[in-house]
mmCIF file of all heavy atoms in Angstrom:
data_model
loop_
_atom_site.group_PDB
_atom_site.id
_atom_site.type_symbol
_atom_site.label_atom_id
_atom_site.label_comp_id
_atom_site.label_asym_id
_atom_site.label_seq_id
_atom_site.Cartn_x
_atom_site.Cartn_y
_atom_site.Cartn_z
ATOM 1 N N LYS A 817 12.755 -3.917 0.262
ATOM 2 C CA LYS A 817 14.133 -3.477 0.307
ATOM 3 C C LYS A 817 14.296 -2.818 1.608
ATOM 4 O O LYS A 817 13.549 -2.268 2.191
ATOM 5 C CB LYS A 817 14.529 -2.593 -0.790
ATOM 6 C CG LYS A 817 14.329 -3.220 -2.079
ATOM 7 C CD LYS A 817 14.656 -2.158 -3.248
ATOM 8 C CE LYS A 817 14.601 -2.688 -4.652
ATOM 9 N NZ LYS A 817 13.292 -3.094 -4.985
ATOM 10 N N SER A 818 15.633 -2.967 2.128
ATOM 11 C CA SER A 818 16.051 -2.424 3.402
ATOM 12 C C SER A 818 16.895 -1.193 3.042
ATOM 13 O O SER A 818 17.647 -0.996 2.147
ATOM 14 C CB SER A 818 16.944 -3.378 4.217
ATOM 15 O OG SER A 818 17.343 -2.669 5.416
ATOM 16 N N LEU A 819 16.445 0.052 3.823
ATOM 17 C CA LEU A 819 17.134 1.226 3.628
ATOM 18 C C LEU A 819 18.546 1.263 4.372
ATOM 19 O O LEU A 819 18.637 0.530 5.407
ATOM 20 C CB LEU A 819 16.301 2.439 4.233
ATOM 21 C CG LEU A 819 14.915 2.571 3.691
ATOM 22 C CD1 LEU A 819 14.265 3.755 4.464
ATOM 23 C CD2 LEU A 819 14.863 2.743 2.181
ATOM 24 N N ASP A 820 19.446 1.875 3.756
ATOM 25 C CA ASP A 820 20.734 2.007 4.559
ATOM 26 C C ASP A 820 20.630 3.201 5.554
ATOM 27 O O ASP A 820 19.660 3.761 5.550
ATOM 28 C CB ASP A 820 21.923 2.276 3.586
ATOM 29 C CG ASP A 820 21.739 3.585 2.843
ATOM 30 O OD1 ASP A 820 21.185 4.561 3.193
ATOM 31 O OD2 ASP A 820 22.344 3.560 1.631
ATOM 32 N N MET A 821 21.686 3.441 6.287
ATOM 33 C CA MET A 821 21.580 4.391 7.346
ATOM 34 C C MET A 821 21.321 5.708 6.968
ATOM 35 O O MET A 821 20.568 6.440 7.594
ATOM 36 C CB MET A 821 22.843 4.360 8.345
ATOM 37 C CG MET A 821 22.831 5.104 9.467
ATOM 38 S SD MET A 821 21.335 4.827 10.586
ATOM 39 C CE MET A 821 21.682 3.211 11.161
ATOM 40 N N GLN A 822 22.007 6.180 5.790
ATOM 41 C CA GLN A 822 21.707 7.588 5.394
ATOM 42 C C GLN A 822 20.339 7.766 4.877
ATOM 43 O O GLN A 822 19.664 8.780 5.054
ATOM 44 C CB GLN A 822 22.545 7.887 4.121
ATOM 45 C CG GLN A 822 24.052 8.111 4.557
ATOM 46 C CD GLN A 822 24.968 8.515 3.386
ATOM 47 O OE1 GLN A 822 24.912 7.844 2.290
ATOM 48 N NE2 GLN A 822 25.739 9.350 3.585
ATOM 49 N N GLN A 823 19.742 6.667 4.291
ATOM 50 C CA GLN A 823 18.267 6.817 3.812
ATOM 51 C C GLN A 823 17.356 6.837 5.017
ATOM 52 O O GLN A 823 16.366 7.506 5.006
ATOM 53 C CB GLN A 823 17.956 5.490 2.941
ATOM 54 C CG GLN A 823 18.630 5.543 1.558
ATOM 55 C CD GLN A 823 18.457 4.213 0.847
ATOM 56 O OE1 GLN A 823 18.569 3.157 1.378
ATOM 57 N NE2 GLN A 823 18.244 4.324 -0.551
ATOM 58 N N LYS A 824 17.729 6.028 6.122
ATOM 59 C CA LYS A 824 16.921 5.986 7.281
ATOM 60 C C LYS A 824 16.874 7.445 7.858
ATOM 61 O O LYS A 824 15.863 7.890 8.371
ATOM 62 C CB LYS A 824 17.488 4.940 8.286
ATOM 63 C CG LYS A 824 17.221 3.526 7.785
ATOM 64 C CD LYS A 824 17.776 2.462 8.711
ATOM 65 C CE LYS A 824 17.523 1.092 8.298
ATOM 66 N NZ LYS A 824 18.112 0.009 9.109
ATOM 67 N N VAL A 836 18.058 16.261 0.022
ATOM 68 C CA VAL A 836 18.794 15.098 -0.162
ATOM 69 C C VAL A 836 19.393 15.059 -1.567
ATOM 70 O O VAL A 836 18.683 15.152 -2.578
ATOM 71 C CB VAL A 836 17.835 13.834 0.010
ATOM 72 C CG1 VAL A 836 18.559 12.573 -0.266
ATOM 73 C CG2 VAL A 836 17.217 13.855 1.422
ATOM 74 N N ILE A 837 20.697 14.932 -1.650
ATOM 75 C CA ILE A 837 21.408 14.894 -2.912
ATOM 76 C C ILE A 837 22.081 13.463 -3.163
ATOM 77 O O ILE A 837 22.697 13.010 -2.263
ATOM 78 C CB ILE A 837 22.569 15.899 -2.897
ATOM 79 C CG1 ILE A 837 21.995 17.320 -2.738
ATOM 80 C CG2 ILE A 837 23.356 15.878 -4.267
ATOM 81 C CD1 ILE A 837 23.014 18.394 -2.421
ATOM 82 N N ALA A 838 21.560 12.961 -4.280
ATOM 83 C CA ALA A 838 22.080 11.537 -4.518
ATOM 84 C C ALA A 838 22.097 11.257 -6.032
ATOM 85 O O ALA A 838 21.343 11.879 -6.797
ATOM 86 C CB ALA A 838 21.181 10.557 -3.925
ATOM 87 N N GLY A 839 22.938 10.319 -6.501
ATOM 88 C CA GLY A 839 23.203 10.156 -7.843
ATOM 89 C C GLY A 839 22.009 9.100 -8.522
ATOM 90 O O GLY A 839 21.224 8.610 -7.672
ATOM 91 N N ALA A 840 22.118 9.007 -9.764
ATOM 92 C CA ALA A 840 21.092 8.153 -10.401
ATOM 93 C C ALA A 840 21.225 6.681 -9.891
ATOM 94 O O ALA A 840 22.386 6.175 -9.775
ATOM 95 C CB ALA A 840 21.311 8.284 -11.819
ATOM 96 N N GLY A 841 20.129 6.121 -9.599
ATOM 97 C CA GLY A 841 20.150 4.673 -9.217
ATOM 98 C C GLY A 841 20.538 4.481 -7.837
ATOM 99 O O GLY A 841 20.738 3.303 -7.346
ATOM 100 N N SER A 842 20.590 5.520 -7.000
ATOM 101 C CA SER A 842 21.091 5.392 -5.638
ATOM 102 C C SER A 842 19.924 5.183 -4.589
ATOM 103 O O SER A 842 20.310 4.991 -3.393
ATOM 104 C CB SER A 842 21.978 6.611 -5.272
ATOM 105 O OG SER A 842 21.112 7.800 -5.423
ATOM 106 N N GLY A 843 18.699 5.213 -5.095
ATOM 107 C CA GLY A 843 17.600 4.854 -4.183
ATOM 108 C C GLY A 843 16.781 6.078 -3.679
ATOM 109 O O GLY A 843 16.286 6.131 -2.567
ATOM 110 N N LYS A 844 16.762 7.076 -4.528
ATOM 111 C CA LYS A 844 15.957 8.347 -4.058
ATOM 112 C C LYS A 844 14.526 7.979 -4.006
ATOM 113 O O LYS A 844 13.747 8.396 -3.143
ATOM 114 C CB LYS A 844 16.265 9.421 -5.031
ATOM 115 C CG LYS A 844 17.671 10.035 -5.086
ATOM 116 C CD LYS A 844 17.749 11.222 -5.913
ATOM 117 C CE LYS A 844 17.617 10.922 -7.327
ATOM 118 N NZ LYS A 844 18.612 10.149 -7.993
ATOM 119 N N THR A 845 14.020 7.404 -5.056
ATOM 120 C CA THR A 845 12.611 7.019 -5.078
ATOM 121 C C THR A 845 12.228 6.029 -3.952
ATOM 122 O O THR A 845 11.238 6.199 -3.203
ATOM 123 C CB THR A 845 12.288 6.319 -6.478
ATOM 124 O OG1 THR A 845 12.519 7.161 -7.531
ATOM 125 C CG2 THR A 845 10.691 6.090 -6.444
ATOM 126 N N LEU A 846 13.151 5.053 -3.643
ATOM 127 C CA LEU A 846 12.815 4.209 -2.535
ATOM 128 C C LEU A 846 12.820 5.019 -1.202
ATOM 129 O O LEU A 846 12.025 4.717 -0.294
ATOM 130 C CB LEU A 846 13.996 3.094 -2.516
ATOM 131 C CG LEU A 846 13.953 2.066 -1.291
ATOM 132 C CD1 LEU A 846 12.781 1.184 -1.552
ATOM 133 C CD2 LEU A 846 15.249 1.333 -1.297
ATOM 134 N N THR A 847 13.742 5.872 -1.049
ATOM 135 C CA THR A 847 13.819 6.774 0.246
ATOM 136 C C THR A 847 12.567 7.644 0.375
ATOM 137 O O THR A 847 11.991 7.740 1.434
ATOM 138 C CB THR A 847 15.002 7.739 0.121
ATOM 139 O OG1 THR A 847 16.218 6.985 -0.050
ATOM 140 C CG2 THR A 847 15.143 8.480 1.430
ATOM 141 N N ILE A 848 12.066 8.219 -0.668
ATOM 142 C CA ILE A 848 10.800 8.987 -0.721
ATOM 143 C C ILE A 848 9.641 8.066 -0.343
ATOM 144 O O ILE A 848 8.815 8.393 0.489
ATOM 145 C CB ILE A 848 10.464 9.578 -2.046
ATOM 146 C CG1 ILE A 848 11.556 10.776 -2.312
ATOM 147 C CG2 ILE A 848 9.206 10.283 -2.089
ATOM 148 C CD1 ILE A 848 11.559 11.354 -3.639
ATOM 149 N N GLU A 878 6.751 6.249 -11.995
ATOM 150 C CA GLU A 878 7.534 5.335 -11.138
ATOM 151 C C GLU A 878 7.284 5.389 -9.662
ATOM 152 O O GLU A 878 7.119 4.362 -9.005
ATOM 153 C CB GLU A 878 9.031 5.688 -11.363
ATOM 154 C CG GLU A 878 9.958 4.734 -10.673
ATOM 155 C CD GLU A 878 11.366 5.096 -10.664
ATOM 156 O OE1 GLU A 878 11.824 5.856 -11.582
ATOM 157 O OE2 GLU A 878 12.275 4.505 -10.041
ATOM 158 N N ARG A 882 5.396 2.444 -7.363
ATOM 159 C CA ARG A 882 6.032 1.990 -6.235
ATOM 160 C C ARG A 882 5.143 2.104 -5.004
ATOM 161 O O ARG A 882 5.062 1.155 -4.222
ATOM 162 C CB ARG A 882 7.288 2.694 -6.101
ATOM 163 C CG ARG A 882 8.301 2.048 -4.866
ATOM 164 C CD ARG A 882 9.489 2.842 -4.644
ATOM 165 N NE ARG A 882 10.411 2.705 -5.808
ATOM 166 C CZ ARG A 882 11.407 1.674 -5.696
ATOM 167 N NH1 ARG A 882 11.478 0.884 -4.718
ATOM 168 N NH2 ARG A 882 12.239 1.737 -6.811
#
Side-chain angles (χ1 to χ4, degrees):
K817 298 180 178 66
S818 178
L819 303 181
D820 63 28
M821 186 53 67
Q822 287 184 319
Q823 290 172 317
K824 289 176 181 178
V836 178
I837 302 174
S842 58
K844 294 188 295 296
T845 304
L846 180 68
T847 304
I848 293 172
E878 181 185 351
R882 188 183 288 272

